[in-house]
Amino acid sequence: MPADPAPEDVTDADDVLVPIPPDHGEAEPAPEEVRANLYDFPKYYDLVFGSDWKAEYDFLRECFDKYRPGEVKTTFEPACGTGRLMVKLGKAGYEVAGNDLNEKAVAFCNARLKRHGLPETAVVGDMADFQLKQPVDVCFNMINSFRHLGSEEEAQSHLNCVADALKPGGLYLLGLHLTPEDDDWEGEETWHARRGQLSIISDLRTTDFDRTKRVETLGMTFHVTTPTRSFVMRDTMHYRTYTKREMAELFEAVDRFEILETYDFCYDIEEPIVIDELTEDVVYVLRAK
């Protein structure tokens, strides 16, 4: 496995997402390939999954204003990863904190917070087994991390932990991909993200799907180009699946939240959606009972 290149400064400049052009050039030698856990390379993870932070950040703040009576001051992000949203909210004046199982991601997050003059408030912890010293106004988990919880028991434990972490009437913004009730469904996403001289072409596609066991396996390929090398990272991710009905049953079993509204990943606060059997991307706006 290649060593992680020297850290590059994470600036506030927007990352760039560009379409992948057709290949009209001459064939080049195949790049080096490595098996690696993307979560152990937080700089790469941050670029691949963090480029859309502005839309999510704006949406979060709009939800704070629309659905939380009184001023939102304190926030917590379970499975915070690299803290791409924590740092933006912290710079806007909110108190932020989070947890994540990956020590390298937590270290990256805290270094980022420190670089912006914010307290280092990310800790190593389990999103399905945590307790806060003081309740907060809002919790959020925006891009599918919830689906890493591999069983119904873990999912229920997570929701109970979040409910306990919230003040009365506090919000939980939960974003995930639902599984359409369509036997022919499969997922695939390809995009190109760039920050400075670091470029990553990402390809995520479903390689196995078991509705009975409720497991989706994703093959992940990342073509990484830095100023000094080019290589391909390959990884595999396992997600628990949820249909519209299965999410409804989960919320009913826990019975700690009221569903205020649902949105898609366009994050348009003026355009809530009605979830049906073919809905894929959804953000639940939940209020603690």
Side-chain angles (χ1 to χ4, degrees):
M1 180 186 310
D4 197 7
E8 299 175 13
D9 185 39
V10 178
T11 70
D12 288 332
D14 289 345
D15 300 323
V16 179
L17 291 175
V18 298
I20 298 176
D23 183 8
H24 297 305
E26 297 181 359
E28 297 181 358
E32 174 190 4
E33 293 197 12
V34 297
R35 295 290 304 183
N37 183 344
L38 181 64
Y39 293 106
D40 288 335
F41 293 81
K43 181 174 61 178
Y44 300 163
Y45 174 91
D46 190 67
L47 179 56
V48 170
F49 293 106
S51 298
D52 200 30
W53 70 264
K54 183 66 165 59
E56 294 172 79
Y57 168 80
D58 290 343
F59 176 75
L60 285 175
R61 296 196 64 180
E62 289 170 335
C63 285
F64 297 172
D65 292 340
K66 184 171 183 177
Y67 296 109
R68 181 71 172 107
E71 183 181 4
V72 171
K73 296 181 179 179
T74 54
T75 70
F76 183 82
E77 182 179 11
C80 64
T82 60
R84 61 199 172 83
L85 294 172
M86 283 176 60
V87 70
K88 301 299 181 182
L89 292 169
K91 290 174 65 177
Y94 298 94
E95 293 181 29
V96 296
N99 67 13
D100 199 279
L101 283 173
N102 190 289
E103 296 181 2
K104 294 180 180 179
V106 169
F108 185 95
C109 178
N110 280 329
R112 162 183 266 168
L113 292 169
K114 182 179 180 180
R115 187 162 54 248
H116 290 280
L118 300 170
E120 298 175 47
T121 51
V123 298
V124 177
D126 187 342
M127 68 185 296
D129 184 14
F130 69 91
Q131 185 175 3
L132 303 187
K133 294 181 179 179
Q134 298 292 333
V136 297
D137 297 311
V138 173
C139 291
F140 60 93
N141 183 301
M142 296 297 287
I143 55 166
N144 253 348
S145 299
F146 170 77
R147 292 180 59 205
H148 284 303
L149 300 171
S151 68
E152 199 74 0
E153 292 75 21
E154 289 182 340
Q156 291 185 16
S157 179
H158 167 72
L159 291 177
N160 279 314
C161 285
V162 171
D164 290 341
L166 288 168
K167 296 177 182 178
L171 298 181
Y172 183 29
L173 288 305
L174 176 61
L176 70 153
H177 295 294
L178 295 181
T179 299
E181 297 181 13
D182 178 352
D183 288 339
D184 296 328
W185 180 85
E186 63 180 18
E188 180 179 354
E189 295 182 1
T190 301
W191 68 94
H192 180 192
R194 184 176 68 244
R195 176 184 293 149
Q197 293 181 304
L198 172 63
S199 170
I200 301 179
I201 297 175
S202 322
D203 183 87
L204 281 69
R205 63 185 63 204
T206 301
T207 59
D208 189 46
F209 188 83
D210 191 320
R211 287 185 180 271
T212 302
K213 295 181 179 180
R214 293 179 58 183
V215 176
E216 178 186 8
T217 302
L218 291 176
M220 308 167 68
T221 303
F222 308 98
H223 190 150
V224 181
T225 303
T226 75
T228 58
R229 70 182 307 167
S230 178
F231 60 95
V232 173
M233 291 176 56
R234 298 192 187 276
D235 196 4
T236 301
M237 182 181 296
H238 303 284
Y239 275 145
R240 183 166 174 80
T241 65
Y242 291 90
T243 63
K244 168 191 172 182
R245 175 182 54 81
E246 288 162 346
M247 280 301 294
E249 290 173 349
L250 175 62
F251 290 136
E252 182 178 358
V254 173
D255 196 26
R256 301 289 302 275
F257 293 97
E258 173 189 2
I259 301 176
L260 299 182
E261 197 59 271
T262 50
Y263 292 88
D264 61 20
F265 283 8
C266 292
Y267 305 116
D268 187 340
I269 197 70
E270 302 300 330
E271 295 290 340
I273 65 168
V274 176
I275 300 175
D276 62 26
E277 287 70 19
L278 298 180
T279 298
E280 295 185 33
D281 304 335
V282 61
V283 181
Y284 291 90
V285 181
L286 308 172
R287 181 166 61 198
K289 294 182 176 179

